[in-house]
């Protein structure tokens, strides 16, 4: 996006078009005040420019950088311009990751979890799905009870705003003994069912007070799987079929 000689409202309008979204959707997903963006881009005389603090929040929600200050020095290699590096940085949002394993089987404690390097997600992807980086967390999966959907070692992105249970959705939870787990939750009268995707694993019941002690970390928004090629068994090669050459008369 070329920012030179563009007004603030034009930059915002162009960015919305570039992301394929609208002002209302971004206001909702980023928890901005009502009409925070719409009041900036409206074409009539009621259009208003925001204060610096509000302009900063709008830019952050759209993956833009608002900078006021002296020129910044650049030590980047010649083959990557500083402008391009800023563009690349603006394209991604960084989500906190902790060394917590959400057990797909018996739970593991998440106490004293250490923060790891954040995980980058494309901002436009998150905006399209109504996700806010600051309201999400990345953890890993341990165990096989959620296979074939989630595998041991997978990364999962949890939306921490989604703490009200919706029947049949997958959530990261802190279970009754303080264990961190990931399960599909079903609502029943005065309780919860913690279901696994693996049919060999049993469904667990949390009833009455136990159900109230289950704390929701967030709902599953994304998962990532990596393949360990060193553990893959080579497929047996199919013998090459012999062919017969036909000569047609």
């Amino acid at each position: 996006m070329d920012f030179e000689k563009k007004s603030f409202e034009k930059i915002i309008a162009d960015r919305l078009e570039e992301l394929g979204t609208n002002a209302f959707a971004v206001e909702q997903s980023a928890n901005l005040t009502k009409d925070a963006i719409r009041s900036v881009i409206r074409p009539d005389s009621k259009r208003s420019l925001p204060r610096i603090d509000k302009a900063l929040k709008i830019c952050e929600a759209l993956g833009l950088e608002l900078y006021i200050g002296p020129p910044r020095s650049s030590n980047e290699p010649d083959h990557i311009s500083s402008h391009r590096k800023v563009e690349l940085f603006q394209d991604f949002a960084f989500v906190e990751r902790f060394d917590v394993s959400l057990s797909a089987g018996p739970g593991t404690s998440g106490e004293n979890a250490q923060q790891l390097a954040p995980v980058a997600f494309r901002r436009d992807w998150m905006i399209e799905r109504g996700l806010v980086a600051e309201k999400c967390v990345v953890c890993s999966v341990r165990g096989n009870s959620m296979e074939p959907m989630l595998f041991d070692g997978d990364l999962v992105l949890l939306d921490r705003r989604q703490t009200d249970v919706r029947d049949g959705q997958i959530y990261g939870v802190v279970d009754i003994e303080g264990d961190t787990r990931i399960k599909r939750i079903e609502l029943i009268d005065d309780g919860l069912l913690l279901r696994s995707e693996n049919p060999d694993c049993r469904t667990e019941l949390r009833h009455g007070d136990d159900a109230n002690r289950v704390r929701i970390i967030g709902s599953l928004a994304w998962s990532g799987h990596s393949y360990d090629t060193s553990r893959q068994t080579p497929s047996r090669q199919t013998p090459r079929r012999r062919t017969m050459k036909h000569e047609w008369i």
Side-chain angles (χ1 to χ4, degrees):
M1 183 185 295
D2 183 9
F3 297 108
E4 293 185 6
K5 298 181 180 179
K6 281 188 178 181
S7 63
F8 182 74
E9 60 267 23
K10 177 62 174 172
I11 291 174
I12 298 303
D14 288 351
R15 181 61 171 169
L16 289 169
E17 182 178 357
E18 181 182 1
L19 294 174
T21 187
N22 59 67
F24 178 75
V26 176
E27 289 168 355
Q28 292 291 306
S29 64
N31 291 324
L32 297 176
T33 57
K34 182 181 178 181
D35 292 333
I37 298 178
R38 284 172 287 178
S39 63
V40 172
I41 62 175
R42 61 189 304 168
D44 54 37
S45 59
K46 294 183 179 180
R47 181 176 60 209
S48 61
L49 289 177
R51 300 193 309 267
I52 292 295
D53 57 337
K54 289 187 177 181
L56 179 60
K57 291 180 179 179
I58 292 172
C59 289
E60 288 177 347
L62 292 171
L64 298 173
E65 181 188 42
L66 180 64
Y67 173 75
I68 300 175
R72 292 177 286 184
S73 60
S74 174
N75 297 319
E76 292 84 3
D78 293 338
H79 65 282
I80 302 179
S81 68
S82 59
H83 178 69
R84 179 56 183 154
K85 282 200 169 184
V86 170
E87 282 186 342
L88 289 172
F89 183 79
Q90 291 171 350
D91 285 342
F92 291 88
F94 295 88
V95 178
E96 291 181 332
R97 180 186 175 190
F98 292 89
D99 65 343
V100 173
S101 293
L102 300 174
S103 179
T108 56
S109 175
E111 294 182 358
N112 302 318
Q114 294 184 352
Q115 189 169 356
L116 303 176
V119 180
F121 292 86
R122 286 195 61 88
R123 288 186 185 274
D124 52 0
W125 179 87
M126 298 197 73
I127 290 173
E128 288 172 3
R129 288 156 180 79
L131 299 171
V132 179
E134 293 77 13
K135 302 296 182 181
C136 294
V137 65
V138 173
C139 304
S140 57
V141 175
R142 189 171 70 86
N144 65 356
S145 73
M146 291 300 287
E147 294 181 4
M149 185 172 187
L150 300 173
F151 290 81
D152 184 56
D154 283 359
L155 293 182
V156 290
L157 175 70
L158 302 179
D159 185 353
R160 293 188 288 116
R161 297 172 302 171
Q162 305 298 328
T163 56
D164 293 331
V165 175
R166 295 183 180 180
D167 188 46
Q169 299 296 311
I170 295 177
Y171 294 89
V173 303
V174 179
D175 207 351
I176 55 178
E177 300 297 333
D179 302 333
T180 54
R181 313 185 70 185
I182 186 162
K183 293 291 180 183
R184 188 180 298 278
I185 298 181
E186 295 183 9
L187 300 174
I188 60 173
D189 291 340
D190 195 29
L192 304 170
L193 292 178
L194 306 184
R195 289 195 180 275
S196 301
E197 296 295 291
N198 189 334
D200 295 332
C201 298
R202 65 185 179 89
T203 297
E204 301 174 50
L205 171 65
R206 299 291 179 265
H207 194 262
D209 290 339
D210 282 347
N212 294 327
R213 291 168 58 195
V214 175
R215 182 170 64 85
I216 304 298
I217 301 172
S219 64
L220 178 65
W222 168 91
S223 66
H225 180 75
S226 61
Y227 291 87
D228 184 355
T229 56
S230 65
R231 298 175 61 183
Q232 294 184 21
T233 303
S235 59
R236 187 175 62 182
Q237 290 186 348
T238 303
R240 181 178 297 177
R241 292 183 178 180
R242 298 180 62 184
T243 60
M244 181 180 294
K245 183 178 180 181
H246 294 277
E247 294 184 1
W248 299 94
I249 300 176

